[in-house]
């Protein structure tokens, strides 16, 4: 590796917008760990955060360097956290919409049970009524297929 390449790599920092997305995922991961006592006891947060950083193409050294750089400019660091809050608010809004779809599906099931008490949709399609499935091993996301819900209940 040339000296110029090494210097460039040594000065590399995470851009503000990516830093905000990384913080949002870190905060969601922290929240999940707080809710899962078994996972919390077995987890070293540095091991939990490393896959998040790798997902965005960084490592813990670049992350630390970025944090130190942003700490030198408090206003810039504050903007990162404001953007992180906006990302989390948007995600919460998405989850609330998905919860609304699930709630509607449950109401439809209850209505159908009134007309045919022997057929329980939740017995035949239990995955539709589970809490939102979150992929903790890859990234934090929730999946609900509203088109499938609509099709199956018509």
């Amino acid at each position: 590796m040339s000296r110029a390449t090494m210097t460039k790599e040594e000065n590399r920092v995470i851009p503000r917008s990516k830093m905000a997305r990384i913080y949002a995922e870190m905060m969601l991961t922290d929240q999940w760990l707080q809710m899962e006592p078994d996972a919390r006891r077995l987890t070293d947060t540095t091991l939990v955060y490393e896959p998040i950083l790798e997902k965005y193409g960084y490592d813990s050294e670049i992350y630390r360097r970025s944090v130190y750089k942003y700490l030198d400019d408090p206003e810039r660091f504050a903007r990162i956290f404001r953007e992180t809050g906006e990302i989390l608010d948007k995600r919460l809004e998405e989850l609330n919409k998905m919860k609304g779809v699930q709630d509607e599906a449950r109401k439809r099931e209850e209505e159908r049970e009134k007309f045919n008490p022997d057929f329980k949709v939740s017995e035949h399609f239990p995955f539709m009524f589970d809490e939102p499935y979150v992929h903790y091993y890859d990234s934090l996301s929730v999946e609900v297929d509203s088109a499938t819900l609509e099709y199956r209940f018509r």
Side-chain angles (χ1 to χ4, degrees):
M1 204 184 294
S2 72
R3 188 181 280 288
T5 306
M6 286 176 53
T7 304
K8 185 177 179 183
E9 185 64 27
E10 289 172 359
N11 293 325
R12 186 173 175 212
V13 295
I14 302 170
R16 196 175 73 217
S17 62
K18 280 191 179 180
M19 192 73 153
R21 291 195 305 264
I22 289 169
Y23 274 136
E25 286 198 40
M26 286 177 165
M27 288 179 178
L28 288 173
T29 302
D30 283 342
Q31 187 62 42
W32 180 78
L33 288 171
Q34 289 300 317
M35 293 169 45
E36 296 293 330
D38 293 336
R40 186 175 54 230
R41 281 192 293 270
L42 300 173
T43 305
D44 176 357
T45 55
T46 57
L47 298 176
V48 173
Y49 293 152
E50 196 66 34
I52 295 170
L53 295 170
E54 288 173 4
K55 174 183 171 182
Y56 289 93
Y58 303 105
D59 60 26
S60 56
E61 181 58 38
I62 296 171
Y63 170 76
R64 276 193 285 286
R65 190 178 319 122
S66 301
V67 170
Y68 290 132
K69 179 167 176 61
Y70 290 126
L71 281 172
D72 287 338
D73 185 353
E75 181 54 39
R76 199 170 182 192
F77 209 34
R79 283 194 302 258
I80 290 171
F81 282 108
R82 280 194 293 275
E83 189 174 339
T84 299
E86 291 168 6
I87 291 168
L88 292 171
D89 287 344
K90 183 179 177 185
R91 190 69 184 133
L92 181 60
E93 187 177 311
E94 291 170 1
L95 291 172
N96 284 333
K97 284 180 185 176
M98 294 165 103
K99 184 179 181 317
V101 169
Q102 286 183 328
D103 291 346
E104 185 62 33
R106 283 189 178 95
K107 286 179 192 174
R108 289 180 185 166
E109 179 189 17
E110 290 169 6
E111 288 296 316
R112 274 149 189 78
E113 284 178 3
K114 289 179 186 175
F115 297 108
N116 188 356
D118 296 330
F119 181 78
K120 303 259 189 241
V121 175
S122 60
E123 289 175 11
H124 298 284
F125 306 103
F127 60 89
M128 293 173 60
F129 300 94
D130 292 341
E131 293 303 315
Y133 182 73
V134 180
H135 299 277
Y136 294 109
Y137 61 89
D138 182 280
S139 64
L140 299 178
S141 64
V142 178
E143 298 175 7
V144 172
D145 188 346
S146 60
T148 304
L149 291 175
E150 289 295 319
Y151 176 76
R152 289 187 176 152
F153 285 109
R154 286 192 176 181

